Each structure stands twice: as structure tokens, then as C-alpha cells.
């Protein structure tokens, strides 16, 4: 492989990695947003439980 | 909730500055070498895998922690997770992450293919010049002679053909030849040309024949000049195909001249021309309003109906059709007649119909380009009649039944997959992602066939399907506009002439003339395992009796550690490879690795910091064969045998899972690749074991050996080492190295 081709492929590799990480970052964010929503839903359900329990004792 | 949580913790992703330099320094003064590019490609591949795993594992952990974080019971949390759609969203995103990884790795894989236009001859020569020469055995000469013979045969036939073509015209001009006779001779010439082409194709791609010859060769070492000659001959065979196409053009030109000559003299030539027109595939598409398809069996080949190797992939078959245009069996489909042999293949829009039959004619492959068409009475009917009978017959109530039309010199318009009514891909026997990736790599158009009609494909999406307790993802295609047979006939060829030639050369490359470096890599892995033992036990070894002490010599102008020059260094270990000596030494409490190129004398020293062992990577780098090198890296802190074994188990686990997936997808290249990587891991472990044994570390020896033997038998390992490694650490080449990788 000549030097020009090597440099070209090295640049391509960098670009591929950069693009991959950018896309992966978005998907990671997407994934963790879903988990945050799930956590939030679980928290709200717990709050409901606690409120119901408190009202019973009042 | 899923398997990922059961995995060992994935490695940390802290980058090691020592690995990054080549890629990051691109654009700076320092140019990257081919070897460094290769290293970076491999490193990036590993990173792509690891990063996905880390994200998914991290996500699973957080999901698991949700109940305890909120104080909710596990059952209630699980109900919310499933019922409120979080599970589905998480699954979809995980799937997208995996696909992104697969797609990225496919793009990276493309970087390792040879660039077009480069002298392949040059590249191959470099790879054999390292090895010593001996007398060529008689059998190897036989191979060279065989190839010479094939070339000679072709040229002789080609010369005869040329003479006959020019003779034909001369005779017509001088009035010696009646039009009727000219027609007959023209047809015979066309037939002979086809036979010539078929013969050449089957020889060029007949791996088995060449391989059988190779098996007869009992050489232990190769003669470089003979190797070069054989390689050159192989490349000439490919160029002969090109020359043969030139012959065809000459024949067409001669026919054109004859047509002009005979137009006013009789009807026979016109009849002949009309029949040729009938046989033209693009005419068949327009006249009968059918689509002509050639399909591929995704898993191997039908047992008694092919001369292709039994392990040939659908992708390779596709490349053969594109590059060599061999005579193939096709089916004409339409909404009324939808039967095809399998659900993936190519759409034709050019070529010559040889025979046509309303049902499977059972033609048999006798060579890659040849099909024996038998003596069916229907094949003697005029071609127009055969085609009329074939395309008008519709297999009632049995969509699986198909007709057969044999086509020579086929022209491909594009690739297709069959889709169901809901536009989901039908069962094609291979992973749709791999198909799309391969087609993209070949740069040919993709179409869909639905209910016997052709559509463009605008995109695809994955949809989660649930049936009872089962869930899986289906690939749904976004269909574009319909393409009628008449429109298909007008499309350009899927692949241009230059690209076909390049593909033909690539296919020819994958044959006996490429050295297999697989066992070389296994031996390198073994050496890396030995070095790993030394690195992991650095503290212990540094206090033990040393191998030797010596004075550190400067590497020259680019000495990285001038403070060491003239100082005493303690040698801890030495590993020899065919072109380099790899050494580990300690100086002033630090560990260093050093590569000395035997041929050039170049010394390269790098610091294997004890911090590095604790923070990041263990690297064994062996320069091999004039710049060809590979790196075996195990990421994450390794400071004990236990950690090493844990990391190796993790790596082995990943490869075993990928192997299972590849087997499920019938992805032959993937199967071979992952099986090989597992062997590399086994060799690494055996190397570690050997070093531990030498140092009297029984405990390390036992655990490493046990894991290694679960992957690859000790007996086979020892056989390979004994066969490949000489007394001075040199790597031995054998005749098996000439078989395709």
C-alpha cells in the first residue's frame, strides 16, 4: 500500500471512530434517559404507596 | 434481566497514550506506517466492542438498582418496567447500539481491503522475500507447467478463432460463402467462444483442481522465483479472460459487417438475427413482461449440483457471477408465477438465453460456466417457442415451483431480497444486516421482490415482534417505486467493466497464492502470553535472580530514554521471532520492552510502566515479516494471575458468544474469524503457562493451563508449536501456507 493510501485510510479510520462515538453517545443518552424515566416512574409509585400508607394512619 | 449482567466487569476504557500515538498524530510530522495502521484498526475494533459492552452493562446495572433506589419492591418495579413500555424501549436502544457496532466494524473491515489499482504482484512479492530458498521439488514445477499449458491452450484457440473470424468475412466478400453458411458458421463461432470462456472461467476459479495439485507437493520450503512465476501466471489467467472478451467483441463486429453484407442477399441472415434478438435477455423482459432472477443458496451448495467448494459463501457466489459472467440457471417470475429457488439473488437485464423450460430443467453444472442441458426434445424448438411456453405456464397453487431459463454471459442489474406482504424480509437463511453490508460494500443496487414484482429499496427499519412469550426483531424494508420489467431492461449494469476486472483479480487472489498467516499469529500470541506472565509478575521477578545484566546502548538519533544510556539494565526475559528479538528489562524500578529488528538492527524501546500494568494495558508487540505486525492487547488493570485469568475468561466469553451468533447466521467468514481468535486466546494462555512453568510458579501454571485446554487441546497446541517454531525461534513455512486463508 502506498503512503497516500495509508494516510487516507488512517483519516478514514479516525472519521469512522469519531462518527461511531458520536452516534454511540446519542444512543447512550437515549438509553439512560429511558432508565431515568423508569426510575422516576418507580419513585412516583413509591410516593403513592407512602402517601396511601400515611393516610391510613391518620 | 438479561445475560449481560452475568458477565465479568468489562475492561476500563481509559486510553493508553502508548497505543494512540499513530492515529492521533496523523497530520503531524510523523507519518503512519502500514503496520501502525493495521494495529490501530485492530485496536479500534476492540474498542468498538468494549464500549458497547460497557454501556449496556452499565445500563443493566442501573435498571437492577432502580427498586432499591426508589424503595419499591422488585415485583412492582418489574411490573412498571414491562407494562409502561420501558423494557421495550431499552431493548430497542440496545439493539440499535449493537447494530451501530456491527455497522462500524463492517466499515472498519473495508479499510483492510487492498486499494484498487495497486500492484498486487508487488505486495505479494514482499510477503515471501523473507524466507530462505531451497531447490524446487519436481511437483512444484508441475504446477507451473500446468498453468503454462492452460495459457497456451487459450492463446492457441484464440488465434484460431481470430483467423476464422477474419476468414468468414473474406469468404463472404469474395462470394465463396452463401448467407446460410455464414449464419451457421457465425453461430458455431459464437458457441466456440462461449466454450472457450467457460473453460477459462472454470479453470480460473477451480480451487479444487489447483488445491489438489498443491497437496501433491511435498515441499517444506518454497523457491521464491518459482512462487513469483506461478503468481504471475495466475494473474495472466485473469487477464486472459479480458482478452477473451475482446475476442467476443471482434466476433460481434464481424457479424455486424456480415449483416450489412448479406442484407440484400437473402433472408437467412435476417432469420438468424431475429433469433439472436429473441434470445437477448432484455428483450425477454420487455416482450414477456417477466423478471429474470438467479438465486443463491445461502448455506453451502446443493450437494450433487455444483462444483463449487462446499464451504463457498453466497457472497463469493455473487462475486463469481458479477466478475466472470458464467452461464447460469435463472427463473422468470411475475405476479402469476412467483416461484424462485431461494429468496435472495440477482436480477438480470442482459445475456443470451440458451434454453428455456416451464419447470426445473435439472440442468447440471459441469464446470463453473458450463451447464449440461441434456437432450430434451423441447430444447430443439425455436427459442421463441421455448420462451413462450415457459413464460405462459403458471404453476397453479404451488408458488414454490419455478421454471428454468439458462442464460450465458449474464448481465446483472442489481441484488434482491424477497419480502412478505408486510414488507418484512422473507426467510433468506442469512442475517439481513450482513447482506446489506455486503451489498453496500460491492456498491451494487439493492431491490426487493414482492409478489413477483420488483421494487426499489429506500431504507429499512427493525421492528419488535411479540408472539406469546417470544420477542424478536424483524427487518422491514421501506419500498420505493415499482420497477417494471421494461424499466429493468433499461437500467445500466450493476457493475462496470473496471470494477468487474478488479473483482476477478480479488477472487483469483483467494487461492493458493496467498500465504496464510494464521499460525504465525498463533505463535505471536504464545509469545505475548509469555511476556504477559513476566509483566504481571514484574515485582516478584525483579527481586529474583536475574537472567543477566548488561549496559544499555543508545538506539541512535531517536533515543527515547537517554537517561538509560550507559546504565546497567536487568534482563528479565527474551522472546525470539523470525525477524526480531523482543526483550523485557528493568532499570531503576521501571519495566521496559525492547524490539530489535534482526534485519535492520533497528532498536525500539518502550516503557512498560508498572503504573501501566496497574492502570491500563499489557502489550506484546512483535514486528514480523517486514512491517507486517499485530498487537495483542488486553485492556484493564492486570496485576496478578487471577486478574489475568479473569480478563481472559471475559475475552473468551465474548468470542464464544460471537461464534454462536455467527453459526446461527451461517456467516462462514465470521465463524472462521472467531474460531481463530479463540485459538489466539488459547495460545496466549499456553504461553503464559509455559513461562510460569519455567519460573516454577505451579499455581499460575495450573489455572492458565486449565482455561487454555478448555478452548484448544494441549496436544494440538504442542503439535503446532513443534511444527512452526525452530530451535532459534524462527518461524517455519510449510506447503499448507499456500492454501487460501
Amino acid at each position: 500500500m502506498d503512503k497516500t493510501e495509508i494516510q487516507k485510510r488512517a483519516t478514514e479510520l479516525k472519521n469512522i471512530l469519531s462518527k461511531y462515538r458520536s452516534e454511540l453517545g446519542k444512543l447512550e443518552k437515549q438509553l439512560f434517559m429511558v432508565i431515568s424515566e423508569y426510575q422516576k416512574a418507580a419513585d412516583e409509585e413509591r410516593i403513592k404507596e407512602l402517601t396511601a400508607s400515611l393516610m391510613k394512619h391518620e | 434481566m438479561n445475560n449481560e449482567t452475568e458477565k465479568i466487569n468489562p475492561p476500563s476504557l481509559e486510553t493508553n497514550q502508548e497505543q494512540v500515538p499513530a492515529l492521533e498524530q496523523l497530520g503531524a510530522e510523523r507519518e503512519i506506517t502500514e503496520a501502525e495502521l493495521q494495529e490501530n484498526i485492530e485496536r479500534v475494533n476492540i474498542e468498538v466492542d468494549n464500549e458497547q459492552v460497557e454501556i449496556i452493562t452499565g445500563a443493566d446495572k442501573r435498571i437492577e438498582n432502580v427498586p432499591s433506589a426508589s424503595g419499591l419492591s422488585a415485583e412492582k418495579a418489574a411490573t412498571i418496567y414491562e407494562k409502561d413500555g420501558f423494557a421495550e424501549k431499552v431493548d430497542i436502544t440496545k439493539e440499535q447500539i449493537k447494530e451501530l457496532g456491527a455497522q462500524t466494524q463492517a466499515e472498519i473491515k473495508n479499510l483492510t481491503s487492498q486499494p484498487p489499482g495497486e500492484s498486487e504482484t508487488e505486495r505479494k512479492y514482499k510477503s515471501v522475500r523473507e524466507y530462505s530458498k531451497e531447490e524446487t521439488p519436481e511437483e512444484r514445477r508441475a504446477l507451473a507447467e500446468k498453468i503454462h499449458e492452460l495459457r497456451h491452450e487459450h492463446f492457441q484457440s484464440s488465434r484460431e478463432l481470430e483467423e476464422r473470424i477474419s476468414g468468414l468475412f473474406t469468404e463472404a466478400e469474395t462470394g465463396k460463402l452463401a448467407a446460410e453458411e455464414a449464419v451457421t458458421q457465425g453461430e458455431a463461432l459464437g458457441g466456440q467462444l462461449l466454450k472457450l470462456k467457460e473453460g477459462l472461467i472454470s479453470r480460473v476459479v477451480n480451487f479444487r483442481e489447483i488445491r489438489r495439485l498443491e497437496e501433491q507437493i511435498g515441499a517444506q520450503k518454497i523457491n521464491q522465483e518459482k512462487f513469483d512465476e506461478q503468481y504471475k501466471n495466475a494473474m495472466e489467467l485473469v487477464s486472459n479472460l479480458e482478452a477473451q472478451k475482446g475476442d467476443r467483441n471482434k466476433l460481434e463486429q464481424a457479424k455486424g459487417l456480415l449483416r450489412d453484407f448479406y442484407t440484400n442477399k437473402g433472408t437467412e441472415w435476417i432469420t438468424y438475427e431475429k433469433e439472436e434478438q429473441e434470445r437477448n435477455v432484455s428483450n425477454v423482459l420487455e416482450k414477456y413482461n417477466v423478471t429474470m432472477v438467479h438465486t443463491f443458496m445461502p448455506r453451502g451448495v446443493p450437494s450433487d449440483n455444483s462444483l463449487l467448494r462446499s464451504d463457498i459463501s453466497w457472497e463469493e457466489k455473487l462475486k463469481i457471477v458479477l466478475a466472470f459472467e458464467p452461464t447460469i440457471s435463472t427463473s422468470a417470475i411475475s405476479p402469476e408465477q412467483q416461484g424462485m429457488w431461494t429468496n435472495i439473488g440477482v436480477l438480470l437485464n442482459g445475456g443470451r438465453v440458451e434454453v428455456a423450460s416451464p419447470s426445473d430443467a435439472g440442468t447440471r453444472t459441469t464446470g463453473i460456466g458450463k451447464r449440461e442441458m441434456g437432450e430434451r426434445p423441447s430444447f430443439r424448438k425455436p427459442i421463441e417457442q421455448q420462451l413462450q411456453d415457459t413464460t405462459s405456464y403458471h404453476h397453479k397453487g404451488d408458488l414454490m415451483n419455478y421454471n428454468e431459463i439458462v442464460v450465458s454471459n449474464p448481465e446483472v442489474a442489481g441484488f434482491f431480497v424477497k419480502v412478505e406482504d408486510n414488507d418484512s424480509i422473507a426467510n433468506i437463511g442469512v442475517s439481513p444486516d450482513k447482506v446489506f453490508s455486503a451489498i453496500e460494500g460491492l456498491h451494487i443496487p439493492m431491490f426487493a421482490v414482492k409478489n413477483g414484482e420488483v421494487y426499489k429499496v429506500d431504507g429499512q427499519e427493525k421492528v419488535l415482534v411479540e408472539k406469546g412469550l417470544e420477542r424478536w426483531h424483524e427487518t422491514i424494508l421501506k419500498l420505493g417505486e415499482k420497477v417494471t420489467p421494461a424499466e429493468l431492461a433499461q437500467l445500466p449494469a450493476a457493475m462496470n467493466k473496471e470494477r468487474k476486472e478488479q473483482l476477478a483479480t480479488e477472487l483469483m487472489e483467494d487461492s493458493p497464492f496467498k500465504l496464510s498467516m494464521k499460525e504465525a499469529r498463533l505463535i505471536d500470541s504464545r509469545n505475548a502470553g509469555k511476556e504477559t506472565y513476566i509483566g504481571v509478575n514484574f515485582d516478584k521477578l525483579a527481586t529474583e535472580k536475574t537472567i543477566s545484566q548488561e549496559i544499555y546502548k543508545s538506539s541512535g538519533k531517536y533515543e527515547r530514554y537517554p537517561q538509560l544510556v550507559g546504565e546497567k539494565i536487568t534482563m528479565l526475559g527474551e522472546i525470539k521471532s523470525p525477524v526480531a528479538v523482543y526483550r523485557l528489562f528493568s532499570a531503576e524500578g521501571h519495566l521496559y520492552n525492547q524490539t530489535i529488528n534482526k534485519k535492520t538492527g533497528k532498536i525500539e524501546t518502550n516503557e512498560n510502566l508498572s503504573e501501566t500494568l496497574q492502570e491500563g494495558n499489557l502489550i506484546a508487540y512483535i514486528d514480523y515479516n517486514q512491517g507486517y505486525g499485530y498487537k495483542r492487547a488486553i485492556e484493564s488493570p492486570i496485576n496478578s494471575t487471577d486478574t489475568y485469568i479473569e480478563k481472559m475468561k471475559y475475552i473468551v466469553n465474548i468470542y464464544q458468544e460471537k461464534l454462536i451468533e455467527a453459526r446461527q447466521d451461517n456467516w462462514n467468514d465470521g465463524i472462521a474469524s472467531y474460531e481463530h481468535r479463540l485459538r489466539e486466546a488459547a495460545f496466549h494462555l499456553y504461553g503464559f503457562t509455559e513461562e510460569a512453568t519455567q519460573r516454577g510458579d505451579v499455581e499460575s501454571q495450573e489455572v492458565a493451563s486449565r482455561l487454555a485446554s478448555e478452548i484448544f487441546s494441549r496436544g494440538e497446541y504442542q503439535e503446532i508449536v513443534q511444527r512452526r517454531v525452530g530451535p532459534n525461534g524462527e518461524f517455519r513455512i510449510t506447503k499448507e501456507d499456500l492454501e487460501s486463508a
Side-chain angles (χ1 to χ4, degrees):
Chain A
M1 218 184 286
D2 66 19
K3 284 180 189 167
T4 318
E5 187 63 32
I6 294 171
Q7 301 305 324
K8 181 179 155 205
R9 289 193 185 197
T11 309
E12 241 173 297
L13 182 64
K14 265 173 78 171
N15 292 340
I16 290 170
L17 187 59
S18 171
K19 185 180 112 183
Y20 164 72
R21 284 193 167 142
S22 166
E23 291 302 316
L24 188 66
K26 289 179 194 162
L27 289 171
E28 185 183 10
K29 190 177 170 188
Q30 188 178 306
L31 185 57
F32 283 96
M33 276 188 68
V34 172
I35 298 171
S36 292
E37 291 299 316
Y38 167 44
Q39 180 73 70
K40 195 172 150 196
D43 290 343
E44 282 168 4
E45 184 62 27
R46 180 60 181 152
I47 289 169
K48 277 188 203 161
E49 271 183 358
L50 289 169
T51 309
S53 170
L54 277 171
M55 281 176 71
K56 236 196 272 183
H57 285 102
E58 272 177 7
Chain B
M1 288 187 185
N2 57 47
N3 287 338
E4 270 95 5
T5 50
E6 290 161 27
K7 283 200 182 123
I8 296 167
N9 288 336
S12 87
L13 293 173
E14 287 166 13
T15 52
N16 181 332
Q17 286 308 307
E18 286 183 275
Q19 280 183 294
V20 170
L23 196 58
E24 294 303 320
Q25 282 177 5
L26 179 70
E29 285 145 11
R30 186 181 177 291
E31 273 180 350
I32 184 171
T33 65
E34 191 174 350
E36 282 168 336
L37 173 67
Q38 185 60 35
E39 287 164 42
N40 275 289
I41 285 172
E42 293 198 45
R43 177 184 68 84
V44 167
N45 248 328
I46 293 174
E47 276 180 18
V48 165
D49 266 347
N50 291 346
E51 287 175 14
Q52 291 174 68
V53 167
E54 178 163 275
I55 289 171
I56 289 174
T57 310
D60 287 337
K61 273 213 168 106
R62 284 189 62 176
I63 291 166
E64 254 190 77
N65 286 338
V66 160
S68 57
S70 63
L72 207 60
S73 72
E75 294 79 42
K76 278 199 179 156
T79 306
I80 293 172
Y81 186 71
E82 297 290 336
K83 283 229 168 98
D84 290 5
F86 297 111
E88 188 186 333
K89 287 179 191 167
V90 163
D91 281 351
I92 288 175
T93 311
K94 279 185 189 175
E95 209 48 45
Q96 286 171 328
I97 289 172
K98 286 178 190 170
E99 277 164 44
L100 174 67
Q103 203 180 318
T104 303
Q105 285 179 323
E107 285 173 33
I108 292 169
K109 195 180 171 200
N110 284 340
L111 293 176
T112 56
S113 63
Q114 270 303 302
E118 175 174 295
S119 167
E120 295 301 341
T121 308
E122 288 294 342
R123 182 174 70 84
K124 281 296 172 230
Y125 289 168
K126 275 180 195 156
S127 77
V128 297
R129 285 189 199 287
E130 275 305 309
Y131 304 105
S132 62
K133 327 292 183 294
E134 276 197 7
E135 287 302 304
T136 308
E138 199 50 50
E139 292 88 348
R140 187 162 293 280
R141 256 191 288 275
L143 175 62
E145 277 167 16
K146 171 94 185 162
I147 293 173
H148 275 117
E149 196 185 292
L150 295 173
R151 281 177 55 224
H152 179 69
E153 261 177 45
H154 169 77
F155 281 129
Q156 195 154 34
S157 308
S158 185
R159 267 197 298 276
E160 278 174 19
L161 196 67
E162 225 178 289
E163 280 164 21
R164 285 184 63 189
I165 290 171
S166 42
L168 195 66
F169 189 67
T170 311
E171 287 183 27
E173 259 195 328
T174 55
K176 285 183 186 168
L177 199 67
E180 199 179 303
E181 188 55 29
V183 163
T184 311
Q185 286 202 26
E187 263 211 43
L189 279 174
Q192 189 181 340
L193 206 59
L194 194 65
K195 259 191 174 166
L196 201 70
K197 171 179 178 175
E198 286 165 359
L200 200 58
I201 287 173
S202 44
R203 279 167 171 140
V204 165
V205 299
N206 195 343
F207 301 118
R208 274 193 195 157
E209 182 176 353
I210 295 173
R211 206 176 261 189
R212 265 200 296 275
L213 283 167
E214 287 293 286
E215 277 165 6
Q216 287 162 22
I217 294 164
Q220 285 301 308
K221 300 218 176 160
I222 56 164
N223 177 291
Q224 189 196 305
E225 286 79 30
K226 280 294 173 192
F227 184 99
D228 291 353
E229 192 187 335
Q230 284 154 34
Y231 185 82
K232 214 167 63 149
N233 290 338
M235 288 301 107
E236 282 180 9
L237 272 174
V238 174
S239 69
N240 285 345
L241 267 174
E242 194 39 48
Q244 198 263 346
K245 275 189 189 166
D247 290 341
R248 182 158 205 89
N249 288 339
K250 276 181 223 149
L251 180 60
E252 292 304 317
Q253 278 169 25
K255 279 188 195 173
L257 291 169
L258 285 166
R259 180 182 58 236
D260 293 340
F261 187 78
Y262 282 115
T263 299
N264 300 323
K265 289 184 168 55
T267 57
E268 287 80 9
W269 190 269
I270 295 166
T271 310
Y272 168 70
E273 284 273 295
K274 191 169 174 288
E275 167 141 334
E276 282 302 299
Q277 178 64 9
E278 281 297 325
R279 289 182 182 273
N280 190 313
V281 162
S282 67
N283 179 67
V284 172
L285 262 45
E286 287 171 350
K287 184 171 175 180
Y288 301 100
N289 200 31
V290 292
T291 300
M292 286 177 68
V293 302
H294 170 73
T295 57
F296 300 112
M297 172 81 95
R299 262 183 293 265
V301 293
S303 55
D304 63 353
N305 193 24
S306 184
L307 285 186
L308 300 178
R309 294 180 303 189
S310 60
D311 60 347
I312 201 165
S313 66
W314 67 268
E315 223 182 308
E316 199 170 356
K317 285 176 240 170
L318 168 62
K319 286 176 181 175
I320 286 171
V321 170
L322 289 165
F324 295 123
E325 301 169 2
T327 302
I328 51 176
S329 182
T330 73
S331 291
I333 64 168
S334 63
E336 298 80 24
Q337 173 53 37
Q338 297 179 25
M340 299 187 286
W341 188 38
T342 71
N343 294 333
I344 53 167
V346 290
L347 306 173
L348 301 197
N349 67 353
R352 185 185 195 263
V353 172
E354 298 292 328
V355 292
S357 163
S359 55
D360 186 342
T363 63
R364 211 161 59 81
T365 310
T366 49
I368 286 293
K370 293 180 194 174
R371 290 194 88 89
E372 262 177 25
M373 290 174 276
E375 283 298 316
R376 282 200 174 190
S378 61
F379 293 160
R380 290 191 219 115
K381 289 186 197 171
I383 196 63
E384 192 179 2
Q385 189 65 55
Q386 291 182 47
L387 283 165
Q388 182 62 40
D389 293 345
T390 301
T391 55
S392 62
Y393 183 79
H394 302 139
H395 292 269
K396 299 264 183 289
D398 185 356
L399 288 177
M400 297 312 291
N401 229 324
Y402 46 86
N403 52 52
E404 185 173 353
I405 302 176
V406 178
V407 172
S408 61
N409 301 310
E411 280 290 341
V412 169
F415 191 85
F416 80 89
V417 290
K418 184 178 164 185
V419 298
E420 308 291 7
D421 286 338
N422 66 346
D423 296 350
S424 66
I425 294 182
N427 178 16
I428 56 177
V430 289
S431 149
D433 290 342
K434 293 191 172 92
V435 169
F436 289 125
S437 168
I439 299 307
E440 235 173 287
L442 284 169
H443 302 292
I444 61 174
M446 170 75 90
F447 296 92
V449 165
K450 181 177 172 182
N451 299 325
E453 295 185 292
V454 177
Y455 295 82
K456 287 187 179 171
V457 175
D458 286 344
Q460 47 154 321
E461 60 179 358
K462 288 276 164 73
V463 166
L464 186 65
V465 175
E466 286 184 68
K467 247 186 184 170
L469 290 172
E470 281 183 28
R471 298 156 97 193
W472 70 91
H473 282 101
E474 257 183 1
T475 307
I476 309 280
L477 293 188
K478 290 183 188 158
L479 301 191
E481 52 185 23
K482 200 191 289 194
V483 182
T484 65
E487 285 165 349
L488 199 63
Q490 300 304 319
L491 290 178
M495 196 174 266
N496 66 23
K497 183 178 155 228
E498 289 74 27
R499 182 74 186 98
K500 282 187 189 195
E501 279 168 32
Q502 187 196 335
L503 196 56
T505 309
E506 278 171 25
L507 282 167
M508 191 57 206
E509 287 264 271
D510 182 19
S511 186
F513 303 97
K514 187 161 85 173
L515 285 181
S516 164
M517 300 309 277
K518 281 192 170 170
E519 287 191 344
R521 290 171 66 114
L522 292 180
I523 301 302
D524 283 349
S525 272
R526 170 186 182 243
N527 293 338
K530 285 168 171 263
E531 192 269 347
T532 302
Y533 178 86
I534 295 171
V536 163
N537 292 282
F538 164 67
D539 290 332
K540 200 170 68 166
L541 289 174
T543 61
E544 284 177 7
K545 190 175 173 196
T546 57
I547 296 175
S548 64
Q549 286 204 316
E550 57 182 63
I551 304 295
Y552 183 82
K553 287 185 210 133
S554 168
S555 312
K557 195 170 150 194
Y558 300 106
E559 174 56 59
R560 291 171 78 177
Y561 305 101
Q563 72 275 19
L564 291 182
V565 177
E567 297 296 320
K568 256 195 204 151
I569 60 175
T570 305
M571 296 308 302
L572 295 174
E574 194 172 85
I575 299 157
K576 288 173 185 158
S577 82
V579 296
V581 175
Y582 181 76
R583 317 166 96 204
L584 262 175
F585 67 86
S586 71
E588 295 170 1
H590 291 275
L591 184 66
Y592 296 87
N593 70 69
Q594 192 175 64
T595 308
I596 304 168
N597 189 305
K598 282 180 189 168
K599 202 178 177 205
T600 64
K602 181 184 163 196
I603 302 171
E604 197 181 303
T605 309
N606 290 295
E607 208 165 348
N608 255 14
L609 302 167
S610 45
E611 295 96 73
T612 305
L613 287 176
Q614 284 149 22
E615 283 173 7
N617 312 319
L618 270 177
I619 299 165
Y621 180 80
I622 296 177
D623 220 315
Y624 191 90
N625 198 11
Q626 276 200 343
Y628 174 87
Y630 88 102
K631 187 181 286 180
R632 205 70 199 101
I634 306 173
E635 306 223 5
S636 93
I638 300 178
N639 47 21
S640 67
T641 298
D642 285 343
T643 328
Y644 167 67
I645 296 295
E646 191 187 321
K647 295 308 157 197
M648 289 305 284
K649 275 184 182 165
Y650 170 73
I651 287 170
V652 165
N653 192 38
I654 290 182
Y655 287 149
Q656 282 172 337
E657 284 189 6
K658 284 187 186 281
L659 180 59
I660 290 169
E661 273 177 37
R663 284 183 179 144
Q664 281 167 354
D665 293 340
N666 289 304
W667 179 35
N668 290 327
D669 287 347
I671 292 169
S673 171
Y674 291 119
E675 278 176 351
H676 183 67
R677 288 196 210 185
L678 280 166
R679 268 181 231 125
E680 284 188 344
F683 271 65
H684 200 283
L685 284 157
Y686 277 126
F688 187 96
T689 308
E690 281 178 21
E691 201 64 31
T693 310
Q694 269 184 25
R695 311 275 178 169
D697 182 353
V698 174
E699 204 183 311
S700 295
Q701 170 200 332
E702 275 176 10
V703 293
S705 169
R706 199 178 317 132
L707 181 58
S709 59
E710 283 170 23
I711 308 160
F712 193 71
S713 88
R714 171 166 281 282
E716 283 181 78
Y717 161 77
Q718 283 169 340
E719 187 274 321
I720 290 173
V721 170
Q722 201 175 10
R723 181 161 41 84
R724 285 298 191 180
V725 182
N728 297 318
E730 75 272 23
F731 186 81
R732 292 200 191 109
I733 273 271
T734 67
K735 64 179 170 70
E736 281 79 25
D737 294 328
L738 297 177
E739 289 173 9
S740 55

